[in-house]
Amino acid sequence: GAAVVGYAGSIFTNPSGLATIGSLSAEGAYARFPDRSTNAMGAVALRLGQFDFGAGLQVLEFSDTSATDRHQILLGSVVYRVGLTAVGASLKYLSIEDTSGTPDRAITTDIGLTLAVFDIMALAVSVQNLGRDVVSGIPLSLPTTTHIGFTLNFVDPQSQARLLGTIETIWTEGEPRRTLLGGEAGVVLSGVGLVGRVGHGGQPEGSGHSKWAYGASVVLGQFRLDWAYQAETAFGGGVHRFGARWTP
């Protein structure tokens, strides 16, 4: 979500979400789909004074029966924060390669604005795929997408309890508006705990994705082990995604 901020992976939805990182954040995730396609993600972010810098990579490897071999996204972000407000931008490189090895490549940009009141609440706006330049091959279809999100911690996140809610509305060029809702709850004692979450909302037209998703995290101090499940995907059947996050 655009307003779920403070971790490296937020650059894939809202670059300004990096602004609430204390010093460093790193994470990775992996999923294997029923048709044997795989998706891997890695991201890292660093805070230097009032600036944050981040980089991320996502690679989708398609199954042997697909006409597409690989879909890759590589991006770098910079964020400036003053007071409660942060602005950020990402330069994003995309590559789609077919089974013959012929790639189509493009460059585009994402921008974001976040108003974060400490770690209690955040209001965010991000716009993805602003402008696009063909690097090689045929032009890629990159519809401009706008996210507006709000996240609220109902209890102090520094206490033993965890209770958070988020709502986000998404406008994608050429598609109907979508609204997503999410929540998480759990308990953390002396830095160790368990948090569960659920999300529901409209999916992109023709994606085949379920409107429901579930997840959980094991908290071990500054380290988290994450799991998420979506009952139905465009690749058929449900998929489990596993990840790890380190945020000192």
Side-chain angles (χ1 to χ4, degrees), residues 143-224:
T144 300
T145 300
T146 301
H147 302 249
I148 298 179
F150 176 73
T151 294
L152 176 65
N153 276 293
F154 295 97
V155 298
D156 184 352
Q158 303 303 318
S159 66
Q160 296 178 348
R162 298 288 189 272
L163 184 60
L164 175 147
T166 185
I167 182 171
E168 180 169 332
T169 300
I170 303 172
W171 293 265
T172 298
E173 185 180 357
E175 294 186 12
R177 181 187 67 207
R178 300 184 288 124
T179 297
L180 310 177
L181 299 170
E184 70 174 31
V187 176
V188 178
L189 302 173
S190 301
V192 178
L194 181 66
V195 177
R197 62 183 60 87
V198 62
H200 178 270
Q203 301 298 301
E205 283 192 322
S207 71
H209 295 314
S210 168
K211 291 184 177 182
W212 289 96
Y214 309 90
S217 293
V218 176
V219 181
L220 302 170
Q222 300 171 345
F223 189 72
R224 293 171 63 132

Side-chain angles (χ1 to χ4, degrees), residues 34 54 80 109 125 135 160 183 204 241 244 248:
Y80 176 73
T109 56
V125 179
V135 176
Q160 296 178 348
R241 182 181 299 272

Side-chain angles (χ1 to χ4, degrees), residues 106-109 128-134 139-144 173:
I107 291 177
T108 185
T109 56
Q128 298 176 298
N129 303 327
L130 273 176
R132 62 214 69 166
D133 291 315
V134 176
L140 299 179
S141 176
L142 305 175
T144 300
E173 185 180 357

Side-chain angles (χ1 to χ4, degrees), residues 20-205:
T20 57
I21 290 172
S23 58
L24 179 69
S25 177
E27 65 178 294
Y30 178 83
R32 185 179 179 88
F33 297 92
D35 72 340
R36 305 182 72 84
S37 296
T38 61
N39 180 239
M41 179 276 282
V44 62
L46 173 68
R47 182 174 184 177
L48 295 172
Q50 291 179 272
F51 289 90
D52 293 89
F53 301 90
L57 173 66
Q58 284 200 55
V59 179
L60 176 60
E61 296 274 1
F62 290 86
S63 66
D64 295 338
T65 59
S66 174
T68 303
D69 183 50
R70 176 183 299 174
H71 181 192
Q72 180 173 288
I73 299 175
L74 175 65
L75 51 77
S77 304
V78 60
V79 181
Y80 176 73
R81 181 173 182 176
V82 54
L84 303 178
T85 304
V87 293
S90 297
L91 184 65
K92 184 163 61 178
Y93 166 86
L94 301 99
S95 173
I96 297 179
E97 188 174 308
D98 61 25
T99 52
S100 69
T102 302
D104 300 315
R105 303 186 177 107
I107 291 177
T108 185
T109 56
D110 299 343
I111 60 172
L113 171 67
T114 297
L115 174 65
V117 181
F118 306 105
D119 54 1
I120 301 299
M121 58 163 282
L123 176 65
V125 179
S126 70
V127 183
Q128 298 176 298
N129 303 327
L130 273 176
R132 62 214 69 166
D133 291 315
V134 176
V135 176
S136 65
I138 63 173
L140 299 179
S141 176
L142 305 175
T144 300
T145 300
T146 301
H147 302 249
I148 298 179
F150 176 73
T151 294
L152 176 65
N153 276 293
F154 295 97
V155 298
D156 184 352
Q158 303 303 318
S159 66
Q160 296 178 348
R162 298 288 189 272
L163 184 60
L164 175 147
T166 185
I167 182 171
E168 180 169 332
T169 300
I170 303 172
W171 293 265
T172 298
E173 185 180 357
E175 294 186 12
R177 181 187 67 207
R178 300 184 288 124
T179 297
L180 310 177
L181 299 170
E184 70 174 31
V187 176
V188 178
L189 302 173
S190 301
V192 178
L194 181 66
V195 177
R197 62 183 60 87
V198 62
H200 178 270
Q203 301 298 301
E205 283 192 322

